Amino acid sequence: MMLPVVALGQTLEECQQAAERNYPLIRQYRLIEQTTALTVANIQKGWLPQISASAQATYQSDVVAWPDEMRGMLGQMGLNFEGLKKDQYKVGLDVQQTVFDGGAMKSASMIARRQGEVQSAQNEVTMYQVRKRVNEMYFGLLLLDEQIVLNKDLQELLAQNERKLASMVKGGTAAESDYQNVKAERLNVVQQATSLTAQRQALVRMLSAFCGIEIKEAAKPVLSVAASQQQTGQRPELKAIDAQLRLADAQEKALNAALMPKLGVFAQGYYGYPGYNMFEDMLSRKFSWNGMIGARLTWNIGALYTRKNDKAKLNVQRSMFNVQRETFLFNNNLEQIQQNENIGRYRSLMADDEEIIVLRQSIRKAAESKLAHGIIDVNDLVREINAENAARVQQTVHEIEMLKEIYDQKFTNGHELFTN
């Protein structure tokens, strides 16, 4: 029921934003957030009273009883101590409340949050690659658009010469084969236009499906004044490494919390037989209510046994993450050096492109004049027309490739380099 948004002259930034919204992995951010919130909420519930109910029925081989001599003496006094029954029953309730946990639950909550940050950062790394894919398709579309425009200009130029040759054939100053040669060349260019148009339609469909919007035209990005060399600092890969280091810090704090004593209060009660008053139960053998309240201090020093190794493992993990950072920055720097060289090369090539086109255009016009005076044949003219068109195509390729290279540099260093 939802129709795609029609976007005429869609900018590169708009395509990237649309692609990120349309990419299925974008929903994982919300899922990670929900999972983290639920995990933290469950950990915080550790401060609530912990209640447990139990029921127990046992039969014992022996029970507490009076010595035979004392039981005989008490019998002479008219007192009958039957002793405890061997079958015993309890239905009880146990309530425990943590008062001080040494920061264990706080550390566990922080670890859960840091783990959520790590998952989000890793998800962002994958999402960031979406821009690269949009980049490839978008600049491919721009290049096809420019080639289609140049193809139309070439068709028009050939058509003009075709009309001139048709007039010359009628006047007897040119051969029919010369006219047919230029016409065949024009039809060949028309075929190229058909191929370029088909390629463009396929690329537009791919880009529209990837972005989730209908794209008709691509707007050429314009370099901003700030499109200069910038240092890497915003790449999601670096953010993911920082998140891993923060997780290691939280895990180290949890090791400290594990060494702290734990203080809690409790209340226990049960209905059954025997009760806490054992002597009374020896006489009456009746079920009774029994209860107990108290405080409990525990201190488990077993964490000391593995503490040294656990801290060493965390330090090793930190070292691994720092090595990953250095490796990423090293490769990123090499990539930027290559991109800077490519940008400089394209700028140098573009500085000569305009002059080459002017020269090729002059040569082509001279060839048209020479053909009209019978100095050259039509093959020479066609060659010069194609040479001029090749120079214009090369200028367009250099321009689009330079824009793409600069935008790839934006992707590499993680900064905005374009305004649209």
Side-chain angles (χ1 to χ4, degrees):
M1 295 174 63
M2 297 180 63
L3 297 177
V5 178
V6 177
L8 297 177
Q10 202 78 25
T11 66
L12 181 53
E13 293 297 331
E14 289 170 343
C15 285
Q16 289 181 339
Q17 293 170 7
E20 289 179 352
R21 291 193 299 268
N22 185 56
Y23 202 62
L25 199 61
I26 192 69
R27 295 192 293 270
Q28 190 158 311
Y29 284 112
R30 181 59 178 168
L31 297 176
I32 292 172
E33 181 181 346
Q34 291 176 345
T35 302
T36 301
L38 292 172
T39 302
V40 172
N42 285 341
I43 293 172
Q44 295 299 326
K45 284 180 170 56
W47 289 109
L48 297 176
Q50 305 300 306
I51 303 173
S52 61
S54 62
Q56 175 179 304
T58 61
Y59 183 85
Q60 302 178 197
S61 61
D62 206 353
V63 293
V64 177
W66 292 101
D68 293 338
E69 294 80 2
M70 185 172 292
R71 186 163 39 184
M73 182 177 62
L74 293 173
Q76 293 176 0
M77 297 171 59
L79 298 174
N80 183 19
F81 281 85
E82 299 183 8
L84 295 177
K85 297 171 63 176
K86 291 185 177 181
D87 54 321
Q88 300 182 1
Y89 308 92
K90 291 182 180 179
V91 177
L93 198 65
D94 188 355
V95 180
Q96 300 188 37
Q97 173 65 56
T98 300
V99 177
F100 175 75
D101 70 344
M105 280 185 278
K106 180 180 179 180
S107 297
S109 298
M110 182 58 66
I111 289 175
R113 292 190 181 95
R114 294 293 183 241
Q115 288 174 336
E117 291 175 3
V118 169
Q119 292 175 351
S120 294
Q122 292 172 341
N123 196 62
E124 186 177 352
V125 171
T126 304
M127 289 296 300
Y128 195 69
Q129 298 300 319
V130 171
R131 299 186 182 185
K132 185 81 170 180
R133 297 173 66 179
V134 173
N135 184 18
E136 296 291 337
M137 289 186 284
Y138 194 90
F139 282 102
L141 181 58
L142 284 177
L143 185 57
L144 284 172
D145 285 341
E146 295 290 342
Q147 289 177 332
I148 289 173
V149 171
L150 292 176
N151 182 276
K152 290 180 179 178
D153 293 341
L154 180 57
Q155 287 185 49
E156 180 59 29
L157 182 58
L158 288 169
Q160 291 175 5
N161 282 277
E162 186 180 339
R163 289 191 291 270
K164 289 179 182 178
L165 284 169
S167 298
M168 293 172 66
V169 169
K170 289 181 180 180
T173 58
E176 181 71 22
S177 60
D178 293 337
Y179 167 77
Q180 293 173 347
N181 192 344
V182 174
K183 183 177 181 180
E185 188 66 26
R186 180 180 62 81
L187 293 176
N188 184 49
V189 174
V190 170
Q191 286 184 331
Q192 293 176 10
T194 303
S195 177
L196 290 171
T197 302
Q199 292 178 46
R200 186 187 186 280
Q201 290 176 349
L203 193 54
V204 165
R205 286 196 296 268
M206 288 177 58
L207 186 58
S208 298
F210 195 79
C211 297
I213 57 177
E214 185 179 354
I215 297 174
K216 296 295 186 181
E217 300 291 339
K220 185 185 296 185
V222 180
L223 285 174
S224 68
V225 178
S228 58
Q229 303 298 324
Q230 300 186 41
Q231 296 298 319
T232 301
Q234 302 298 321
R235 284 294 292 263
E237 291 87 348
L238 297 177
K239 295 179 182 179
I241 293 173
D242 290 338
Q244 293 280 9
L245 291 172
R246 289 194 295 270
L247 174 59
D249 292 338
Q251 290 171 333
E252 185 170 6
K253 290 180 180 179
L255 294 179
N256 298 331
L259 291 176
M260 300 297 292
K262 309 294 188 294
L263 176 64
V265 295
F266 65 91
Q268 297 176 344
Y270 73 90
Y271 178 74
Y273 173 85
Y276 291 142
N277 190 341
M278 193 173 298
F279 293 107
E280 180 69 23
D281 291 336
M282 287 182 180
L283 288 171
S284 63
R285 291 189 172 182
K286 293 180 179 179
F287 282 66
S288 60
W289 292 98
N290 302 271
M292 178 190 303
I293 60 173
R296 181 182 293 113
L297 179 67
T298 59
W299 193 359
N300 183 7
I301 62 174
L304 283 172
Y305 304 150
T306 59
R307 177 180 173 80
K308 182 178 179 180
N309 290 339
D310 290 338
K311 293 194 69 172
K313 285 171 58 179
L314 290 176
N315 289 331
V316 169
Q317 290 180 8
R318 290 191 182 97
S319 298
M320 292 174 61
F321 296 140
N322 287 325
V323 168
Q324 292 177 14
R325 181 196 300 277
E326 293 176 6
T327 302
F328 175 80
L329 291 174
F330 180 82
N331 292 330
N332 187 273
N333 183 57
L334 291 179
E335 189 173 358
Q336 289 194 55
I337 291 174
Q338 181 63 51
Q339 289 168 344
N340 288 332
E341 292 296 325
N342 290 339
I343 292 170
R345 177 167 58 85
Y346 285 126
R347 289 188 188 279
S348 298
L349 293 172
M350 290 176 64
D352 298 328
D353 281 336
E354 191 62 38
E355 184 177 359
I356 293 173
I357 290 174
V358 172
L359 293 173
R360 287 296 180 186
Q361 186 178 29
S362 178
I363 294 171
R364 185 260 304 168
K365 289 180 178 180
E368 289 175 342
S369 177
K370 290 178 181 179
L371 179 66
H373 292 83
I375 299 175
I376 62 173
D377 60 19
V378 73
N379 290 324
D380 294 327
L381 174 61
V382 170
R383 183 175 62 251
E384 297 305 335
I385 291 175
N386 288 333
E388 180 187 353
N389 180 71
R392 294 183 184 278
V393 171
Q394 189 150 314
Q395 181 190 44
T396 298
V397 170
H398 290 162
E399 181 186 9
I400 299 299
E401 287 294 335
M402 189 189 71
L403 287 174
K404 180 179 179 298
E405 199 70 39
I406 294 175
Y407 206 88
D408 284 343
Q409 187 182 61
K410 167 198 170 180
F411 177 87
T412 301
N413 59 36
H415 289 278
E416 297 296 330
L417 297 181
F418 281 84
T419 57
N420 291 279

